[in-house]
Amino acid sequence: NKAPKSFVYKMLRKKNIKLNGKKATGNEKLSQGDQVCIYLAEDTINKFREEVKAGKQKIKLDVLYEDKNVIMVNKPWGILSQKSKPEDISINDQIIPYAVNQGLISEKELQVVKPSICNRLDRNTTGIIICGISIEGLQTMAEMLKHRDMKKYYLCIVKGKIEGSQKVSAYLKKDEKTNKVKVSKQEIAGASHIETAYEPVISNDEFTLLKVELITGKTHQIRAHLASIGHPLIGDFKYGDKKINQEMKQRFGLKDQLLHCTEVVFPRDMKTCKNLSGKKIQAPLSKRFDMIKNDLFGRT
């Protein structure tokens, strides 16, 4: 980060930065499998290196699983996955101090690898956040999330009675200005194909507790997709039913969507991060979600 652009272009001209073994100009677009090699003296590397320190643990993390490669955290309501302003406190900036305190990584190793979250949840969504600690963990989790090699399940409470399992697909397009997405059954320009599967856990005539499998993972996918088929999440003022949301606000003080990433299931024969082979990581519901569920459906 400290190296100026002029230095980078100088290194390109002197062939100290090569793309696939050949001279590079810096204008190339990288493709999967490309190899970038940088040849710098140790003194030069040290000059531009930013020292990373663990810092202090500001919030207690609810850790569901940990090993030398990954940490799984149960994110509480109201906490950011990643900070948007320097003064924010997020799960992401608490991973390094936790990992160092637990002896999962040393401060010396932080100069080479920076532990961080691999998936994000909205501020008001709770549940499992996957964090990479080592290079192996970061790369493996990134690849698995990209290729959808792990199964991710969510719990939510929606409007209406749903009696059978379904797998639905549609097209989703995000409006960057409003930070809102539009779901369409027909393909539209600039839209991404989405798939969502769900099964009812408990239902009555008014509401259903759904277990949702996020097959594709797009912005606000569960919230917008379920709303588009007539089953919006309770408390979701962006995509939901105004009348029901007002009722939930008065009854429970609910001002946001009730959505929880409850389970992540890893494939059996993993080539890297082998400790996770066949593992099922589960996150208990927040007290708020559990209280509302019990009130609407009775204790289960």
Side-chain angles (χ1 to χ4, degrees):
N1 289 340
K2 287 184 178 180
K5 282 185 181 179
S6 58
F7 173 80
V8 175
Y9 283 116
K10 182 181 178 181
M11 292 300 100
L12 286 163
R13 288 196 304 273
K14 293 181 75 172
K15 300 181 184 178
N16 284 3
I17 301 176
K18 292 185 178 181
L19 175 60
N20 299 325
K22 297 178 181 178
K23 182 180 178 180
T25 64
N27 297 322
E28 297 88 352
K29 285 187 177 180
L30 296 179
S31 302
Q32 191 170 353
D34 282 345
Q35 186 178 55
V36 178
C37 292
I38 302 173
Y39 303 92
L40 298 175
E42 189 67 32
D43 288 347
T44 306
I45 294 171
N46 289 333
K47 179 183 172 183
F48 293 125
R49 179 176 281 149
E50 289 188 13
E51 190 176 358
V52 180
K53 292 189 176 181
K56 291 184 179 180
Q57 193 82 45
K58 294 180 180 176
I59 55 172
K60 187 178 179 182
L61 297 180
D62 180 8
V63 176
L64 305 165
Y65 173 89
E66 67 179 59
D67 63 27
K68 64 178 183 178
N69 293 313
V70 296
I71 295 173
M72 310 280 175
V73 176
N74 187 8
K75 187 184 90 64
W77 172 84
I79 298 292
L80 290 166
S81 297
Q82 212 164 7
K83 62 170 64 179
S84 56
K85 302 189 294 290
E87 63 270 22
D88 288 337
I89 295 175
S90 71
I91 298 296
N92 193 55
D93 53 69
Q94 298 302 293
I95 293 303
I96 289 177
Y98 178 86
V100 170
N101 290 339
Q102 291 295 108
L104 301 173
I105 193 169
S106 68
E107 287 210 334
K108 187 177 179 181
E109 289 172 311
L110 291 179
Q111 311 316 312
V112 180
V113 58
K114 185 179 181 182
S116 63
I117 63 170
C118 301
N119 68 307
R120 285 184 292 178
L121 299 176
D122 290 341
R123 182 195 287 268
N124 297 321
T125 298
T126 57
I128 301 170
I129 286 190
I130 302 164
C131 313
I133 302 303
S134 65
I135 291 174
E136 180 181 335
L138 287 161
Q139 290 178 342
T140 303
M141 295 304 106
E143 284 295 307
M144 293 189 77
L145 288 162
K146 181 180 178 181
H147 298 294
R148 304 195 288 274
D149 292 330
M150 64 179 78
K151 291 183 178 291
K152 286 196 296 179
Y153 298 93
Y154 290 72
L155 286 173
C156 57
I157 298 174
V158 300
K159 170 188 174 184
K161 186 171 187 175
I162 298 176
E163 295 183 293
S165 299
Q166 284 262 24
K167 182 179 176 182
V168 290
S169 60
Y171 294 89
L172 178 149
K173 187 174 183 179
K174 184 178 180 182
D175 185 333
E176 297 291 346
K177 291 181 181 177
T178 61
N179 191 33
K180 196 171 180 180
V181 301
K182 181 181 179 182
V183 174
S184 170
K185 287 185 179 179
Q186 284 76 39
E187 189 170 0
I188 52 178
S192 301
H193 181 255
I194 58 170
E195 286 184 277
T196 311
Y198 57 83
E199 62 173 315
V201 179
I202 322 166
S203 64
N204 55 35
D205 290 337
E206 293 181 276
F207 305 105
T208 301
L209 174 67
L210 273 189
K211 185 176 183 180
V212 180
E213 181 184 356
L214 196 57
I215 298 171
T216 56
K218 300 298 179 183
T219 303
H220 300 171
Q221 179 179 321
I222 292 175
R223 296 161 61 188
H225 203 176
L226 290 171
S228 75
I229 59 172
H231 297 291
L233 275 65
I234 65 169
D236 189 348
F237 282 79
K238 185 167 276 192
Y239 301 103
D241 182 293
K242 287 183 179 179
K243 185 180 177 183
I244 287 175
N245 286 341
Q246 286 300 327
E247 180 190 332
M248 295 296 110
K249 188 177 178 181
Q250 289 174 356
R251 195 165 162 185
F252 304 114
L254 189 63
K255 299 176 183 177
D256 44 75
Q257 76 275 2
L258 215 53
L259 181 61
H260 178 72
C261 183
T262 185
E263 187 175 293
V264 174
V265 182
F266 290 91
R268 289 195 173 276
D269 299 311
M270 292 180 60
K271 302 294 185 286
T272 52
C273 294
K274 293 181 180 180
N275 286 352
L276 288 170
S277 292
K279 277 208 180 301
K280 181 191 290 184
I281 309 298
Q282 293 178 304
L285 287 174
S286 66
K287 288 182 181 179
R288 183 181 73 151
F289 196 134
D290 201 42
M291 180 270 291
I292 294 172
K293 173 181 75 74
N294 290 336
D295 196 291
L296 294 177
F297 302 105
R299 291 197 170 271
T300 54

